[in-house]
Amino acid sequence: DAMVIQNPRYQVTQFGKPVTLSCSQTLNHNVMYWYQQKSSQAPKLLFHYYDKDFNNEADTPDNFQSRRPNTSFCFLDIRSPGLGDAAMYLCATSRGLAGNYNEQFFGPGTRLTVL
Amino acid sequence: SQQGEEDPQALSIQEGENATMNCSYKTSINNLQWYRQNSGRGLVHLILIRSNEREKHSGRLRVTLDTSKKSSSLLITASRAADTASYFCAIKLTGGGNKLTFGTGTQLKVEL
């Protein structure tokens, strides 16, 4: 089945130790998104790629970066995780952009713990 | 905040009853989408309604949109225990870039 896969499902890192979360998709969608979701809060968009075009949200900290080496894969790099970065990180894809009435398909998420 | 505000924050009902959740927003939108999230999981798309549409159905789900009141509602009829989840509205703001802004969510609990 076509799907969005996130690895690992649970990630534990130490304060200040760089961590990379990965996302892959078999949907061949043009757009890939990374969201941060803290407990009982709405998912917050960090950035998205339309093909190779990177779009950063204005309030996304510089500590968060992303790479999309090809259509299928997208990575979230947290350069120096702080305690406040502990959250669920959700990857999503869509065929096109939200303005063109496209739904988003989400992966199961990676829960990041920072010790 | 431009995000959708959902009401109620939490809802507890008995199996078989209907559940209604509301989403209000402040600016003009291009489309509004509803998503479900089971505890500790990713979101699942339920319904997309365009700004020129007033009502859409999908199985036991009914979504309405009132752009004059800047609000939408999600009705789940004949609820089941498996409907227990958080429900989020997500809006595409007109001129707000190509992204969805998610609401605060309603936690629905359906008891046997």
Side-chain angles (χ1 to χ4, degrees), chain B residues 35-50:
Chain B
Y35 288 80
R36 184 187 76 225
Q37 184 178 35
N38 289 81
S39 180
R41 307 288 296 183
L43 285 76
V44 175
H45 179 264
L46 297 176
I47 288 184
L48 182 154
I49 187 164
R50 301 184 180 205

Side-chain angles (χ1 to χ4, degrees), chain B residues 87-107:
Chain B
Y87 291 81
F88 293 89
C89 66
I91 56 177
K92 161 65 180 81
L93 301 173
T94 301
N98 277 297
K99 67 176 185 180
L100 295 176
T101 302
F102 282 81
T104 51
T106 293
Q107 291 188 353

Side-chain angles (χ1 to χ4, degrees), chain A residues 9 33 35 37 40-43 45 48 57 88 90 97-104 106-109 111, chain B residues 3 30-31 33 35 37 40-45 48 50-51 88 92 97-100 102-105 107:
Chain A
R9 292 292 313 282
Y33 309 81
Y35 289 87
Q37 185 181 28
S40 301
Q41 294 186 18
L45 182 65
H48 75 273
E57 292 301 300
M88 175 77 88
L90 296 166
L97 295 169
N100 293 327
Y101 313 106
N102 285 280
E103 66 182 90
Q104 293 184 9
F106 283 80
R111 183 166 295 283
Chain B
Q3 73 181 131
N30 168 289
N31 71 82
Q33 304 183 27
Y35 288 80
Q37 184 178 35
R41 307 288 296 183
L43 285 76
V44 175
H45 179 264
L48 182 154
R50 301 184 180 205
S51 58
F88 293 89
K92 161 65 180 81
N98 277 297
K99 67 176 185 180
L100 295 176
F102 282 81
T104 51
Q107 291 188 353

Side-chain angles (χ1 to χ4, degrees), chain A residues 1-89:
Chain A
D1 287 340
M3 55 198 303
V4 182
I5 302 162
Q6 290 188 246
N7 286 305
R9 292 292 313 282
Y10 301 91
Q11 176 73 57
V12 179
T13 191
Q14 292 180 334
F15 184 94
K17 184 175 181 181
V19 66
T20 295
L21 309 182
S22 70
C23 176
S24 63
Q25 54 134 342
T26 60
L27 297 161
N28 203 33
H29 281 172
N30 294 313
V31 192
M32 295 188 77
Y33 309 81
W34 280 104
Y35 289 87
Q36 179 192 64
Q37 185 181 28
K38 296 188 176 180
S39 182
S40 301
Q41 294 186 18
K44 179 180 179 298
L45 182 65
L46 296 173
F47 24 61
H48 75 273
Y49 276 93
Y50 185 92
D51 290 333
K52 294 182 179 180
D53 292 334
F54 177 70
N55 297 271
N56 197 32
E57 292 301 300
D59 57 354
T60 297
D62 292 340
N63 198 26
F64 291 85
Q65 297 182 341
S66 185
R67 296 169 284 135
R68 189 179 185 186
N70 53 51
T71 301
S72 301
F73 286 86
C74 194
F75 300 97
L76 170 61
D77 300 309
I78 308 176
R79 289 191 299 182
S80 182
L83 297 179
D85 297 328
M88 175 77 88
Y89 290 88

